[in-house]
Amino acid sequence: MATFEFQTAKGETYEIDAPSASDAQAAFARSQVSKPAGLLGMVDDVVRSLASGITFGYADELAAKAGSLFGSGTYEDNLRQERARDEAISPAIRLPGEIAGGVGGAVAAAPFAGLLGAVSGASRLPFLARSIGIGAGTGAAYGSGAADGGLADRMQGAAGGAIGGAAVGATAPYVMQGAANIGKGILGTFDPTRRAAADFGRAVMRDADDTPVSLAARAADLAQDRPGVASLADAGGENVRGLVERIAQSPGAGRTKVVPALIERQQGQLDRLSDELSRLTGANRNLTETVEQKIAERKGASKPLYDEAYSFDVSTSPALVQTFQEATASGWGKKILESPELKLTLQSEYGLQGMPGKEVMMPVIDAWKKQADDVIESARRAGNGNIARVVSGVRDKVVAAVDAVNPAYAQARNAWAGPSRYLDAIEEGRSLITRNVTADEVKATLAKLSDVDREAYRIGAVNAIRAQMENDAAKLPDMTKYLNSRAMRQKVAALMPTDDLAKKWSRVFDAESGFSTLSRQALGNSATARRLAEQDAAAGIPGEMILDVLSAPVRKGIPAAVGAVSRGVRDTVRSRSDKVLADMLLSPARLQDRDAIGRFIKRTESVTAPLKKRTKIGGILGTNATLEGDR
């Protein structure tokens, strides 16, 4: 190692030990560097770094030349001082500054580069080729500017820079696209609608063999049976319902929509079920109003038929005369004919003060038949089945003889059998909710009743069901539990006038049963739901960003950076997305808006498309579920 001697402009002499004269000159130049102190020094460092990047490393040469032109030392001495000053800049400032300067220079030169490319034809080259060319040119310029020495050194620096720049240019498009995707994904993660679509899509995919489109189609069908009540969530599987449960159990804007919506819907279930039963069976909900109204209506409508039936001359049918005489000659038939009740009925209802002749005996036969009905019903209520059986046999024999010769009487009875029979049919209908009545018995009873009495039976059954539900004191009662047993479902189906109406009721009831299940699951204060909500919050934004926007090669480096997002920001974003989810999942009005549902489903599919291409997503989603690829 040799010793070299240098002298400053002030006459000061320095001795420096160095391997070569150039190393000694560089060391001497560094010792003469004068850097401003404090903030001014930092600003000077930033400006120098930006200038170096903008001029592709030629800022030192330009400054040295300018100094020599204005009489401030020689070019060589000035260049050594400029480079020594650059070396004194902290890498934490120099490297970002040079990069930023280089980018700024490239942006400023873009219009000229574009014009040059158009003139030269380079703009018609593939994008990758143009990127490599730009990288090579930029690298060559910077390499030559950063090199020391003469032309040979500059050429060597330019060659090395060109090689490195070409490599950077070849990878730059992909790096930039990846960065753009990452940035887009990060920004998208803060978009409540996108997050909601992602949550919904993953929940649907976890339900086997389901897709957002098929779920939306099922929901649309459900809305036809329960318009204004059904929602998108009601058509979902276990994981979609679990999504509603998580929102209901998580404090935030989503919970404030989910909980009131489910409570309001569940509280309205009694009226909905009662209304549907009344509508499908043709039975009015208000029993008192119905009975009074129907009695008046049926009696008025049947009067012409009874007038025709009463005008029949019984004496023209010896067989009928003989049958009635035999029935009333002894036993129960005679007792009913001679009863004070029958005498009073003839006087009050028919205006007969005594027994008329055979030619006008039809009112007497009708009054006797109705009195027999009362005896039969009283015997049944008292448990005297044998008496009811005997009297029924006597009555039915006479009625059959009348119908054979006087068809108008059968038509009149079918239209109206009297208020007592109507009320009896209502009472029979009330017994439908008891366990000792089977569906087959309901069918048999309805089959033998007249049209008007069949109507009364249904009114009694529907009002008995409603009364049973109204006695439930729970705050959020599940009204479907009173009709959910196999026996009750069969009895209610038998109550329907037609098979189509029975199928309609089955769909309505299944939907209402699903409503109750969802309400019970979401509002049940489930510990499992709280645990899942906590896990979801713990995964938070980082996991979703990694899953949705990052590819495998860059996945490892992002979580730490994204994990720096504060809990407050994460919870705010989660709350907003939950609000969007709650609105889409539980709003019946939203389900009726086909355009809105279509846009949401389309966005769901676009967000979850990358998931379908993965086979294992367990670590990110908090589950070990394996998903099938695209079919």
Side-chain angles (χ1 to χ4, degrees):
M1 184 174 293
T3 300
F4 298 90
E5 185 176 290
F6 296 92
Q7 189 174 25
T8 67
K10 296 180 181 181
E12 299 173 340
T13 302
Y14 289 84
E15 291 183 352
I16 299 176
D17 295 331
S20 64
S22 60
D23 292 335
Q25 288 175 346
F28 174 70
R30 284 194 296 271
S31 68
Q32 300 303 302
V33 170
S34 177
K35 175 182 177 179
L39 180 60
L40 291 178
M42 182 177 296
V43 172
D44 185 56
D45 289 346
V46 171
V47 172
R48 282 179 170 274
S49 300
L50 290 171
S52 179
I54 292 174
T55 60
F56 300 104
Y58 278 93
D60 295 340
E61 284 82 351
L62 294 174
K65 189 65 176 177
S68 65
L69 291 176
F70 289 99
S72 178
T74 65
Y75 172 79
E76 290 76 11
D77 290 341
N78 291 342
L79 182 60
R80 282 193 294 270
Q81 291 179 1
E82 291 293 334
R83 288 180 172 172
R85 175 67 182 86
D86 289 345
E87 291 179 2
I89 300 174
S90 170
I93 295 177
R94 188 179 73 250
L95 294 178
E98 290 178 350
I99 293 173
V103 171
V107 171
F112 303 100
L115 179 61
L116 180 61
V119 174
S120 64
S123 60
R124 292 190 293 272
L125 293 174
F127 179 73
L128 180 60
R130 283 182 284 145
S131 179
I132 293 174
I134 293 173
T138 303
Y142 193 86
S144 66
D148 295 332
L151 179 61
D153 293 329
R154 299 281 184 177
M155 293 297 293
Q156 184 176 359
I163 295 174
V168 172
T171 60
Y174 305 102
V175 173
M176 292 172 64
Q177 184 61 49
N181 289 340
I182 292 173
K184 183 179 179 180
I186 292 174
L187 293 176
T189 303
F190 293 91
D191 177 7
T193 303
R194 185 181 187 279
R195 281 178 56 86
D199 287 344
F200 174 70
R202 283 193 291 271
V204 174
M205 291 173 63
R206 291 170 185 168
D207 290 322
D209 300 324
D210 205 359
T211 65
V213 173
S214 61
L215 185 148
R218 292 198 308 274
D221 293 338
L222 186 61
Q224 293 183 355
D225 289 323
R226 308 304 292 136
V229 184
S231 66
L232 191 62
D234 297 314
E238 183 63 31
N239 285 284
V240 173
R241 293 194 299 270
L243 192 59
V244 177
E245 180 183 8
R246 182 201 47 85
I247 297 173
Q249 298 292 333
S250 303
R255 176 182 171 85
T256 61
K257 293 182 71 71
V258 168
V259 173
L262 290 177
I263 289 176
E264 181 180 5
R265 187 170 73 172
Q266 194 62 30
Q267 289 176 338
Q269 190 173 71
L270 186 153
D271 287 336
R272 291 196 305 272
L273 286 174
S274 297
D275 289 344
E276 285 295 335
L277 277 172
S278 299
R279 184 176 66 85
L280 296 176
T281 61
N284 193 295
R285 275 176 43 184
N286 191 317
L287 182 59
T288 302
E289 177 185 341
T290 298
V291 171
E292 294 175 352
Q293 179 182 353
K294 293 298 182 182
I295 286 177
E297 289 178 357
R298 298 306 184 187
K299 186 175 181 179
S302 64
K303 188 178 184 305
L305 295 174
Y306 273 105
D307 289 343
E308 181 181 356
Y310 291 162
S311 66
F312 177 74
D313 186 354
V314 176
S315 63
T316 61
S317 176
L320 176 55
V321 173
Q322 182 180 354
T323 300
F324 186 66
Q325 288 177 345
E326 289 176 355
T328 58
S330 62
W332 281 102
K334 181 179 180 180
K335 182 177 181 179
I336 293 172
L337 185 62
E338 297 176 351
S339 66
E341 291 82 4
L342 178 61
K343 182 178 180 181
L344 294 174
T345 299
L346 288 172
Q347 294 173 353
S348 300
E349 185 174 350
Y350 299 89
L352 298 176
Q353 299 301 320
M355 192 63 64
K358 294 179 181 179
E359 65 279 2
V360 289
M361 278 293 292
M362 270 307 304
V364 176
I365 294 176
D366 181 52
W368 176 87
K369 181 261 180 191
K370 291 177 180 177
Q371 193 65 40
D373 291 341
D374 291 345
V375 172
I376 294 168
E377 187 61 29
S378 297
R380 286 174 177 169
R381 292 180 181 177
N384 297 322
N386 189 54
I387 295 176
R389 178 184 60 80
V390 172
V391 177
S392 294
V394 175
R395 177 201 62 186
D396 293 346
K397 186 176 181 180
V398 172
V399 171
V402 175
D403 290 344
V405 296
N406 186 9
Y409 184 57
Q411 296 175 7
R413 291 198 320 275
N414 191 54
W416 179 243
S420 60
R421 184 67 196 107
Y422 193 83
L423 294 175
D424 290 342
I426 290 177
E427 289 302 316
E428 284 187 79
R430 286 180 178 275
S431 66
L432 179 137
I433 63 175
T434 61
R435 294 184 177 181
N436 59 338
V437 175
T438 67
D440 290 338
E441 290 174 335
V442 172
K443 292 179 182 178
T445 299
L446 287 170
K448 71 180 183 181
L449 291 176
S450 64
D451 291 343
V452 66
D453 291 341
R454 197 176 294 124
E455 174 189 71
Y457 184 96
R458 292 187 176 112
I459 291 174
V462 170
N463 278 272
I465 292 172
R466 180 178 178 84
Q468 186 181 45
M469 292 190 295
E470 286 178 335
N471 288 328
D472 195 318
K475 292 182 178 179
L476 287 176
D478 175 12
M479 295 304 173
T480 62
K481 66 184 177 183
Y482 296 106
L483 304 171
N484 203 30
S485 68
R486 184 171 180 268
M488 276 301 297
R489 295 195 68 155
Q490 290 177 341
K491 287 192 283 187
V492 174
L495 198 63
M496 297 298 158
T498 66
D499 290 340
D500 288 341
L501 291 176
K503 293 176 181 177
K504 170 70 173 177
W505 165 254
S506 179
R507 294 194 301 270
V508 168
F509 183 80
D510 288 342
E512 288 290 344
S513 181
F515 299 163
S516 295
T517 299
L518 181 61
S519 296
R520 185 166 56 250
Q521 179 178 347
L523 303 178
N525 198 27
S526 166
T528 301
R530 290 195 303 272
R531 175 176 56 80
L532 292 175
E534 290 169 358
Q535 289 179 356
D536 185 83
I541 294 173
E544 294 181 359
M545 290 169 59
I546 297 168
L547 182 65
D548 293 341
V549 300
L550 299 182
S551 58
V554 297
R555 188 174 293 170
K556 294 181 180 180
I558 300 301
V562 179
V565 179
S566 69
R567 180 177 296 273
V569 173
R570 183 190 66 205
D571 290 346
T572 298
V573 175
R574 166 60 68 192
S575 177
R576 291 175 179 172
S577 67
D578 282 353
K579 183 178 180 180
V580 174
L581 262 178
D583 185 52
M584 294 304 302
L585 289 177
L586 289 178
S587 172
R590 283 285 189 180
L591 189 57
Q592 300 295 330
D593 188 347
R594 296 296 183 89
D595 291 338
I597 289 294
R599 290 192 299 270
F600 184 68
I601 294 301
K602 185 176 181 180
R603 190 161 194 179
T604 296
E605 290 189 309
S606 67
V607 171
T608 57
L611 299 180
K612 297 180 181 179
K613 299 177 182 178
R614 299 185 177 97
T615 56
K616 197 82 170 180
I617 60 171
I620 301 298
L621 296 178
T623 176
N624 290 323
T626 300
L627 303 180
E628 295 182 1
D630 290 333
R631 291 189 175 94

